[in-house]
Each structure stands twice: as C-alpha cells, then as structure tokens.
C-alpha cells in the first residue's frame, strides 16, 4: 500500500535552469475513441496559433546545453544549460531531463492539440520550467495532451511516484498533485485521464502488478491488476498501454470510470517480450522489438498483437501507422530501414548514417517519425538527418550540430 507524502505546490520552490484546422502530414479523419474536452483547443496564455505544425528536434548535448532545431525554418535556438544529463524523455512538447538532484523540465515551446477531426498548432517561448527533486533515475509516463491532465514521474532508487499537473507545466509552473512512496523498483506511475496506474513490486523486487489510483492518488478498491515485470508504456488515441511479461494492459478513462483490459500475446509463436513501445504520436498501432530479428506490432484499437520477422537486425523500431503500414527501424549498422508492416519485407534503407555513434559511448541514435518524414540523430557524427521514407529512404536534409546531440526529442507533436 503506497504511503502518502503531502501534496506540494512547487511554484515557489522551482530551481531555475537558465538559458484553425488540419494541415498536411496529419490524419484529419482518424477516429478517436475518447472525445476531446478542452474548450480552449489546447491554447495557453502567450501562445500563438499556427496554420501548420511547428515540428522540431530538441537536443541535449554532453554538457547539458539544450537546443531546439525548427524543422520548418531550419533555425536553431538555445534554450537552457542544465549541466550533465543522463536521460531524456518527452511528451512531444516537454523534455524531462535526468540530472543530479532530480528531473529538469524544459518546454520546447511547440505543440499540437488533437481536436478529434482536426488539429491545432501552437508556438510559445521555449523555456526551462524547473526542477522536480528526486534521487536516482526516473521513468516518465505522459499522455497525448501537453496542456491538461497529468504527467507521471517514478524515481526508481527511492520508489517515489510523483504526478505533475500538466496544465501547470504549460503555464510555466511545476505543481505536484501528489507524491507517493512504494518500495524502490524499476517502476511506473502512468496517468490515464484523471486516474493513474502505479506499479508495485513482488517479493523479488520486480514489478508484478499495477494498482489503480483516483485523482487524489488514493488506491481504488479492488483495483489491482496482474502485470509481471511491467516495462514500457505509451498513450495513443485509444488508451494507455503498459507492457507486461505475458502481453499488455490497455487502460482507458471515461470521466470517473477507469477500465483496464488485458491483451495477451498470441499463442503458438513464442518471442522475446516487448519492453518499450514507439510510434507516430497518438496513432493506435505501436511497435516494439522482439529481440533483434523480430518486431511486435500492437494495434490498440483491435486489441491484437502481430509478430513480424524483421528483414534485418534492428536496434530500434517504430510504427508509422499510415495507409501503407510502414514500420521504420534503426539497423545494427546505423541505417534506417523502411519495412512493410504487413509482410515484413525490406522496402529500402538509407546509407549507414549513424554507424560511428553505435557503441561509441557518445550517445545512442534516436529515430523519430512523422507521417511524411523520419528523423535520425547521429551523436558521434554531430548530425541530425531528415529522411523521406516514402521515397526510397532518401536523405532529404542533413543538419550539422555544433556539439554532439547526446539526447534528441521530436517536439511540436
């Protein structure tokens, strides 16, 4: 049973850290299982609404300098200097950066708001928001909205689970809705609407269940769900996925009602389990590695897994979930592979754009996907690449970086 620390508004305790409708490239007719409710269409004070998405790549270099590359204008802007970072996670607007003493939150200043049948796009001044205090590595779980709901942060060394108010982040403040404590483990606090799922460890110290929490962080009666070795989470238009040893849980929220469904792995084709998920922002089908030579595809809408044989050995994989069912992967020799998500056939590859980065210790390349383009960071090469995966994996643009992009996040999404 989680123990509760007092909910704390951190507005006065922030550590400064310095320094219309649809447009091409979005799915304007894609159905949504849960209705949008924000009357302001995702806008916050001081933001300008745009006619098209302001996609960008926000990077953190080895010394902790945060820079934002505007992919429309090709201009780069410095945002903050955090000091050395060990991990970066994102919701498509905010960066959650592990540093000594906790997690620094950085606002890239660009985001998209999904209004069911069309989208709204915004730009504001990028800025450092503040530092969430905590010890050890963090696992961050986000939703599809960067202006409402909650953001879950779990500190694995201490077992502290913090739900941040995302609307406060959007306004430039850092506010904890609640902070709970469970035994330390490689855990997750996963927001689902106004609810959340919190992992709890079994006797061996690994997570073996999730418990459902109400908006105040109180455990709901009878709301424990088996999820052995819980690992990996992602939120799509359909709901929120948590990976388990025997498949996944899919959680959806309808007002004050939380529903948790189990999606077991298919029988007959044993394969390594999925431990992390990636896909185009919000889309219902997501991808995960099954070892280096197979790919799991999880269709949230159909509540079904599909296992593909990968045509090449892979280090990362992500689902585009477009009409052609493209899947993209980063190969073990630093190429971007374009894969048919139905047959598993290899359609095309880039040259080895990030070969020097693999195993260099400089930083792991990161693959980000939109509907029309993919982006690959190459830390050792000091490059960011834009790839047209529909046109034979053509390298459309290459952006040199002044320092190594140790961590890269796709933003404006």
């Amino acid at each position: 049973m989680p123990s509760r620390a007092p909910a704390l508004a951190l507005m006065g305790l922030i550590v400064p850290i310095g320094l219309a409708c649809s447009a091409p490239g979005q799915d304007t007719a894609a159905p949504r299982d849960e209705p949008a409710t924000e009357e302001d269409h995702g806008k916050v004070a001081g933001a300008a609404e745009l006619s098209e998405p302001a996609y960008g790549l926000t990077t953190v270099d080895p010394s902790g300098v945060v820079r934002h590359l505007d992919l429309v204008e090709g201009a780069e802007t410095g945002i903050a200097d955090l000091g050395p970072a060990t991990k970066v996670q994102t919701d498509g607007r905010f960066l959650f950066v592990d540093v000594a003493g906790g997690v620094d939150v950085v606002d890239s200043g660009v985001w998209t708001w999904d209004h069911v049948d069309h989208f709204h796009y915004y730009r504001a001044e990028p800025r450092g928001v503040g530092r969430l205090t905590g010890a050890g590595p963090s696992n961050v779980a986000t939703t599809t909205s960067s202006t409402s709901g909650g953001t879950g942060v779990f500190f694995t060394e201490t077992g502290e689970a913090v739900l941040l108010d995302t609307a406060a982040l959007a306004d430039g403040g850092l506010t904890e809705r609640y902070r709970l404590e469970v035994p330390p483990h490689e855990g997750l606090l996963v927001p689902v609407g106004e609810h959340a799922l919190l992992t709890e460890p079994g006797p061996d110290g690994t997570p073996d269940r999730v418990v459902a929490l109400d908006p105040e962080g109180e455990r709901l009666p009878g709301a424990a769900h088996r999820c052995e070795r819980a690992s990996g989470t992602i939120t799509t238009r359909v709901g929120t996925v948590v990976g388990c040893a025997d498949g996944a849980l899919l959680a959806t929220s309808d007002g004050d009602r939380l529903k948790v469904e189990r999606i077991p792995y298919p029988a007959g084709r044993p394969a390594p389990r999925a431990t992390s998920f990636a896909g185009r922002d919000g889309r219902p089908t997501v991808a995960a590695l099954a070892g280096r030579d197979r790919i799991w595809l999880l269709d949230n809408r159909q509540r079904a897994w599909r296992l593909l044989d990968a045509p090449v050995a892979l280090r990362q994989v992500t689902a585009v979930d477009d009409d052609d069912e493209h899947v993209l992967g980063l190969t073990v020799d630093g190429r971007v592979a374009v894969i048919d998500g139905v047959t598993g056939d290899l359609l095309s590859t880039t040259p080895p754009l990030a070969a020097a980065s693999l195993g260099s210790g400089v930083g792991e390349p990161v693959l980000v996907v939109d509907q029309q383009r993919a982006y690959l960071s190459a830390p050792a090469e000091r490059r960011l690449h834009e790839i047209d995966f529909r046109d034979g994996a053509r390298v459309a643009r290459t952006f040199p970086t002044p320092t190594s992009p140790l961590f890269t996040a796709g933003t404006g999404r």
Side-chain angles (χ1 to χ4, degrees), residues 47 56 115 132 172 252 317 329 339:
H115 197 200
L132 177 68
T252 54
V317 68
I339 300 167

Side-chain angles (χ1 to χ4, degrees), residues 103-180:
V103 174
D104 276 341
V105 183
V106 177
D107 185 353
S108 70
V110 287
W111 66 97
T112 296
W113 193 78
D114 184 348
H115 197 200
V116 186
D117 60 349
H118 64 277
F119 296 81
H120 292 261
Y121 313 107
Y122 297 100
R123 181 193 298 278
E125 285 297 316
R127 57 188 171 185
V129 177
R131 178 170 299 171
L132 177 68
T133 58
S138 75
N139 292 327
V140 176
T142 65
T143 70
T144 55
S145 173
S146 59
T147 59
S148 65
T151 297
V153 182
F154 191 96
F155 291 102
T156 61
E157 284 188 5
T158 62
E160 290 181 285
V162 184
L163 189 72
L164 293 175
D165 188 316
T166 307
L169 294 181
D171 288 333
L174 200 61
T175 301
E176 296 185 15
R177 290 190 178 181
Y178 54 77
R179 182 181 287 245
L180 308 176

Side-chain angles (χ1 to χ4, degrees), residues 192-217:
V192 186
E194 291 300 311
H195 300 86
L197 298 176
L198 174 64
T199 60
E200 291 184 337
D204 64 354
T206 63
D208 70 354
R209 61 191 176 275
V210 299
V211 296
L213 306 176
D214 70 12
E216 286 71 46

Side-chain angles (χ1 to χ4, degrees), residues 287-374:
L289 288 176
R292 291 289 175 92
D293 58 357
R294 283 181 285 182
I295 300 166
W296 283 117
L297 294 175
L298 175 59
D299 185 332
N300 292 195
R301 189 164 281 131
Q302 298 299 320
R303 275 67 166 173
W305 294 91
R306 183 152 38 100
L307 183 63
L308 293 179
D309 291 322
V312 290
L314 299 174
R315 295 176 67 97
Q316 295 176 35
V317 68
T318 186
V320 181
D321 197 16
D322 56 358
D323 290 341
D324 295 319
E325 298 193 50
H326 286 115
V327 173
L328 303 185
L330 174 65
T331 70
V332 295
D333 62 353
R335 302 170 187 267
V336 174
V338 184
I339 300 167
D340 187 313
V342 177
T343 65
D345 291 342
L346 181 65
L347 302 178
S348 55
T349 67
T350 66
L353 301 175
S357 296
L358 301 178
S360 66
V362 175
E364 178 73 8
V366 174
L367 181 61
V368 178
V369 65
D370 292 327
Q371 188 178 14
Q372 303 292 342
R373 294 288 191 270

